[in-house]
Amino acid sequence: MTVSQSDHFALSLLADQYCDGVIRKDVDAWGSTWADDADVPGGAGPQWQMRGDPIVGKDAIVEYWLGAMERFEWVLQVAPFKWFEVAEGADTGVGRVVAQERFMRADQVLGHLYAVYHDEYIRTPAGWRFSSRQLEIRDFG
């Protein structure tokens, strides 16, 4: 399956906006990358799985993220590799996004993360949004 250039560009911008929201600790920018609950079929809302059980629903995801970001002085997150699959004319797709982070925790300890996000996307009236993200950690320290 391939993806059109316009969808690839839009999905790349979505992943980049997510990273930018992390870097700036901007909850509005970061939170707007997620589908609203009503946009996801069944109305259950988007899902984000970091470790353990998934966090379900946009409000719950944003609340969890805010709490997690309090543990960091700063985070530099980049997504150097992105792979998307969207059938022509489809309003859903899947992808993989490599995430690299360098961070300083609130206790002034430096750390890093190398991971792969396994994503599901949905096209909403506002554009492409995440409907599911599952983080596969490859290296953390």
Side-chain angles (χ1 to χ4, degrees):
M1 185 181 323
T2 61
V3 61
S4 71
Q5 282 185 320
S6 62
D7 284 338
H8 187 280
F9 182 73
L11 289 165
S12 290
L13 286 177
L14 178 68
D16 291 343
Q17 179 180 340
Y18 182 100
C19 291
D20 184 58
V22 169
I23 291 166
R24 294 185 298 120
K25 292 186 176 183
D26 184 333
V27 67
D28 294 329
W30 187 87
S32 69
T33 65
W34 290 92
D36 291 328
D37 292 353
D39 292 330
V40 178
Q47 295 187 23
W48 188 32
Q49 187 166 359
M50 301 290 287
R51 297 177 180 163
D53 294 331
I55 302 155
V56 180
K58 185 174 180 174
D59 290 344
I61 290 169
V62 170
E63 182 179 333
Y64 179 89
W65 183 80
L66 283 169
M69 292 304 290
E70 288 178 2
R71 297 190 303 256
F72 297 96
E73 182 78 22
W74 54 263
V75 179
L76 176 62
Q77 183 182 79
V78 295
F81 175 81
K82 305 166 187 95
W83 183 261
F84 308 113
E85 296 179 5
V86 178
E88 187 174 335
D91 289 332
T92 60
V94 297
R96 289 180 310 281
V97 175
V98 170
Q100 296 178 334
E101 288 185 0
R102 186 75 171 147
F103 54 82
M104 181 177 284
R105 296 187 328 218
D107 62 4
Q108 305 302 298
V109 173
L110 287 172
H112 69 272
L113 170 75
Y114 299 102
V116 178
Y117 276 109
H118 299 275
D119 294 335
E120 295 179 13
Y121 312 103
I122 188 165
R123 190 188 319 259
T124 72
W128 285 105
R129 298 292 183 259
F130 296 111
S131 60
S132 174
R133 295 204 98 184
Q134 182 176 356
L135 186 69
E136 176 189 354
I137 297 173
R138 298 287 177 95
D139 186 37
F140 181 77

